[in-house]
Amino acid sequence: MPASCPLHIDVAIGTVTEDPSLSHTTFYSIRLTSLLAAVLAFGVAPCDALIVKTWNGAGTPALINTTPPVDDPGSHNLPTNKTGIYLGDNLFLTAYHADTATSGSVEIAGGTFPIIPGSATNLANPSTFGSTRRTSNGSLNISSDLRLYRVGVDTTTGLSPEELDPEIRRLTLASRLPNTSSEQLTIFGKGRIRTLNDANDTNGQFYYNSSGSVLNDPADWPTSSYRGFGFTNSPVSPTPWQWGTNQRSSTTPNGVVRVSQNMLMEGSFLDTIGFAIRFDENGLPDEAQGVAGDSGGPVFWKDGDEWVLAGLMHGIYFGNGQPSVLSLFGGFTGISDLSYSTYASQIDDARTTFSKMGDIDLDGQVTGGIVNGVATGDLGILVDNWLSSSVDVNVHSWMKGDLNLDGNVDLGDFVLMREALGGSISSSAFAQLVSAVAIPEPSALALAASTVLVAMRRRRR
């Protein structure tokens, strides 16, 4: 549930209430009855603001770990106006149930990057997961909860996120699941935050009975088997990102479909293959758990010397055999598995196939003409960057007009642009646009065109 959804779940007192102070401008709305039905049926709810166990003695603030860790996995890729993560290559990944946007923008590093119309897509699920199959009755959704879309350049500077902030990097997807013993996850969440028990200066935790009610008498605390935190809205606006740590759990929530090391997340969001982490009272010092808020927070781990993106948070689960309170120790957070081949291959394809030939600005259309001696549309971008060079050959060089991806905007790119526009631009007219001495007419371009097209076919293989 997004942090702006007009519902407030107060696990400290075990109630769900309307909260009129919350904004009603949200990407989607979810009825209270729907949330309760999902929680009761599956023991799962959307997430994920972050509850972090960190305790530094009396006076420890509820909002904690808002400064990135020293060994930073990729905090510069985090947006300020929504949840999710910038992958690089002008691609943004989030959780669909938290962000169904097909327009608008992503704000990163002080820049505003518009969502490219028509680029939003949900990553598809495999046809089967264990005995669960995609059928007409929806036993396994065709689409997952992983939402991918492409963004354009900053509306003010015309720069890509990487050009605007050199600390932003192209994220590497995990190639395998982390182990359950020594490989630590770093989790980022943005939304609601924990509430502390002011009467407990030992660890700030609340204690509960087996019905999920808070035990207010300290004399009852030592015998309680159920401990945890409450959560509420962040006192800071915009809500800052928090981080915490955890490890992949060898156990999973009761009732989930499990195949080998993976589990299937179902419920109030689309089916997604992933894994679980468990909120452990005796776990890591910055042990973290997702909680109702804006799903899509990224999860990283360090594979050797390289930080890799493991997945996103999607849902939270009651602990096995525990009261129905979502922020107790023993609860689980469900995380998508981006090393799963079905998902990884789709992201890899998006990184290497940008759009149709000639669509330099990635708006889904090939446009261009000459009006009063000035080139327009995609053709205009190519003209503006004529004879420029790029060190890295990727989507950013494409968006300057490097259609054959050789690092240079030159004759070969004009050949492809002319073809994409149906031959409507003459060589002499283009020569005037770029102030070139001469551009060969179509008959002289045949050899160059065939060479370029062969190169393009090889790139697509």
Side-chain angles (χ1 to χ4, degrees), residues 292-434:
D294 50 345
S295 296
V299 180
F300 298 87
W301 66 280
K302 201 166 190 179
D303 188 1
D305 294 328
E306 183 180 24
W307 282 104
V308 294
L309 182 64
L312 307 181
M313 290 186 277
H314 295 264
I316 46 179
Y317 298 77
F318 300 138
N320 297 335
Q322 289 191 339
S324 300
V325 178
L326 289 171
S327 57
L328 294 182
F329 290 115
F332 296 91
T333 301
I335 299 167
S336 51
D337 178 13
L338 295 183
S339 73
Y340 200 80
S341 61
T342 303
Y343 300 149
S345 62
Q346 293 173 72
I347 294 175
D348 288 342
D349 286 346
R351 281 178 154 170
T352 56
T353 306
F354 311 130
S355 185
K356 65 184 71 174
M357 179 52 66
D359 179 20
I360 296 175
D361 61 5
L362 304 179
D363 66 353
Q365 303 178 56
V366 180
T367 60
I370 301 174
V371 179
N372 298 324
V374 178
T376 62
D378 296 302
L379 177 65
I381 298 174
L382 188 148
V383 169
D384 289 342
N385 292 284
W386 183 248
L387 298 183
S388 66
S389 299
S390 299
V391 175
D392 296 319
V393 176
N394 52 31
V395 68
H396 306 305
S397 61
W398 170 283
M399 294 177 74
K400 293 178 180 178
D402 181 18
L403 295 175
N404 61 3
L405 297 178
D406 67 353
N408 301 303
V409 180
D410 53 20
L411 180 61
D413 304 300
F414 166 66
V415 172
L416 295 173
M417 188 76 246
R418 176 188 170 90
E419 182 181 88
L421 290 171
S424 60
I425 307 298
S426 71
S427 299
S428 58
F430 185 76
Q432 291 179 354
L433 291 173
V434 298

Side-chain angles (χ1 to χ4, degrees), residues 71-155:
D71 190 2
D72 188 351
S75 68
H76 290 271
N77 290 53
L78 296 170
T80 56
N81 65 327
K82 56 174 63 201
T83 185
I85 188 71
Y86 177 68
L87 299 178
D89 301 308
N90 286 64
L91 292 172
F92 189 82
L93 186 68
T94 188
Y96 176 69
H97 78 264
D99 184 354
T100 61
T102 57
S103 60
S105 60
V106 176
E107 296 175 8
I108 310 173
T112 300
F113 303 90
I115 297 172
I116 299 297
S119 69
T121 184
N122 284 42
L123 300 189
N125 280 318
S127 57
T128 61
F129 181 72
S131 60
T132 307
R133 299 176 181 274
R134 289 199 323 226
T135 63
S136 58
N137 65 10
S139 60
L140 180 63
N141 286 313
I142 293 176
S143 298
S144 73
D145 194 41
L146 287 161
R147 180 75 157 179
L148 183 71
Y149 48 77
R150 198 177 293 279
V151 297
V153 295
D154 176 37
T155 55

Side-chain angles (χ1 to χ4, degrees), residues 8-10 19 49 62 191-195 230-235 291-292:
H8 178 208
I9 305 177
D10 190 342
D19 186 345
R192 293 178 182 154
I193 66 170
R194 67 179 180 176
T195 54
F231 58 92
T232 188
N233 297 327
S234 170
V291 71

Side-chain angles (χ1 to χ4, degrees), residues 180-202:
T180 59
S181 57
S182 60
E183 292 172 334
Q184 178 176 300
L185 299 162
T186 297
I187 304 160
F188 288 88
K190 176 181 169 64
R192 293 178 182 154
I193 66 170
R194 67 179 180 176
T195 54
L196 301 174
N197 183 353
D198 293 335
N200 181 0
D201 59 8
T202 300

Side-chain angles (χ1 to χ4, degrees), residues 236-258:
V236 179
S237 180
T239 303
W241 287 92
Q242 292 179 270
W243 64 270
T245 58
N246 210 311
Q247 292 179 294
R248 183 171 68 85
S249 176
S250 59
T251 60
T252 54
N254 289 336
V256 302
V257 176
R258 181 171 178 174

Side-chain angles (χ1 to χ4, degrees), residues 25-106:
T25 55
T26 180
F27 290 117
Y28 79 111
S29 61
I30 184 169
R31 292 184 180 180
L32 175 60
T33 52
S34 299
L35 176 63
L36 288 176
V39 172
L40 294 175
F42 301 98
V44 58
C47 72
D48 100 69
L50 206 62
I51 288 182
V52 185
K53 186 187 76 174
T54 306
W55 181 255
N56 298 321
T60 299
L63 183 61
I64 200 165
N65 290 359
T66 57
T67 301
V70 174
D71 190 2
D72 188 351
S75 68
H76 290 271
N77 290 53
L78 296 170
T80 56
N81 65 327
K82 56 174 63 201
T83 185
I85 188 71
Y86 177 68
L87 299 178
D89 301 308
N90 286 64
L91 292 172
F92 189 82
L93 186 68
T94 188
Y96 176 69
H97 78 264
D99 184 354
T100 61
T102 57
S103 60
S105 60
V106 176

